[in-house]
């Protein structure tokens, strides 16, 4: 069993006493409380992320109005042979069947029954609703911190 000397205990108490004397608390203001509450509220962070997601859904809804281009290529490494007979020529003549395929598609939406327009209008309304919910949550957090102070 190890013995602790009174000298080391005295030094530890003296150090902790001097440390507590040097640390001073500063007065906290209402604006500090509100800013801390707004920065550390998990509910407010959730609503902020939902608002950002709604704004990106509005940007995604523009895709129905834009043209699309796609390209593809297929290359087969194996060669396929087909033989055929030519009259008056002895034996079979080999013929190589082409195995490469190149494709380029372009599409411009002319009329889709206003589906893209309604999708865009819905995304715009969802973005406005998410922004209103963010404003309300910010107000609730500020009021809760103010009343708690």
């Amino acid at each position: 069993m190890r013995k602790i000397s009174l000298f080391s205990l005295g030094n530890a108490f003296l150090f902790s006493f001097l440390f507590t004397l040097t640390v001073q608390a500063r007065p906290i203001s209402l604006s500090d409380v509100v800013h801390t509450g707004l920065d550390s509220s998990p509910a407010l962070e959730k609503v902020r992320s939902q608002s950002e997601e709604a704004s990106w859904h509005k940007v995604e809804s523009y895709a129905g109005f834009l043209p699309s281009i796609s390209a593809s290529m297929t290359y087969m490494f194996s060669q396929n042979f087909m033989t055929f007979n030519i009259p008056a020529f002895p034996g079979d003549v080999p013929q190589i069947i082409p195995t490469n395929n190149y494709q380029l598609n372009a599409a411009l939406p002319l009329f889709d029954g206003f589906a893209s327009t309604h999708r865009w209008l819905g995304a715009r309304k969802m973005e406005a609703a998410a922004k209103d919910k963010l404003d309300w949550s910010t107000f609730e957090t500020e009021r809760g911190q103010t009343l708690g102070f």
Side-chain angles (χ1 to χ4, degrees):
M1 182 169 164
R2 196 171 124 184
K3 291 186 177 182
I4 300 174
S5 69
L6 291 176
F7 180 74
S8 62
L9 282 176
N11 283 339
F13 285 124
L14 180 65
F15 177 73
S16 64
F17 178 72
L18 291 176
F19 182 73
T20 57
L21 288 179
T22 59
V23 176
Q24 297 176 1
R26 66 177 179 91
I28 190 166
S29 67
L30 178 61
S31 64
D32 292 338
V33 170
V34 170
H35 287 296
T36 303
L38 291 175
D39 291 340
S40 63
S41 172
L44 195 58
E45 286 297 320
K46 180 181 176 184
V47 174
R48 278 188 193 126
S49 66
Q50 289 172 347
S51 178
E52 285 184 30
E53 182 183 8
S55 69
W56 277 108
H57 281 301
K58 181 182 172 188
V59 173
E60 289 174 3
S61 70
Y62 294 139
F65 302 111
L66 301 175
S68 64
I69 297 174
S70 64
S72 65
M73 182 188 96
T74 306
Y75 179 75
M76 302 297 243
F77 290 104
S78 64
Q79 295 180 351
N80 297 326
F81 294 98
M82 184 173 78
T83 59
F84 63 96
N85 294 329
I86 298 178
F89 188 78
D92 294 333
V93 177
Q95 178 185 9
I96 298 176
I97 299 173
T99 56
N100 297 337
N101 183 15
Y102 303 101
Q103 188 174 15
L104 178 66
N105 296 327
L108 177 66
L110 296 177
F111 182 71
D112 61 355
F114 297 111
S116 297
T117 305
H118 291 302
R119 192 175 300 116
W120 175 73
L121 289 172
R124 191 176 72 173
K125 289 179 183 178
M126 290 295 288
E127 180 188 31
K131 186 177 180 304
D132 290 342
K133 187 175 181 180
L134 175 63
D135 291 342
W136 177 252
S137 295
T138 303
F139 172 75
E140 277 185 325
T141 304
E142 286 177 354
R143 282 297 133 204
Q145 295 296 322
T146 302
L147 293 175
F149 185 68

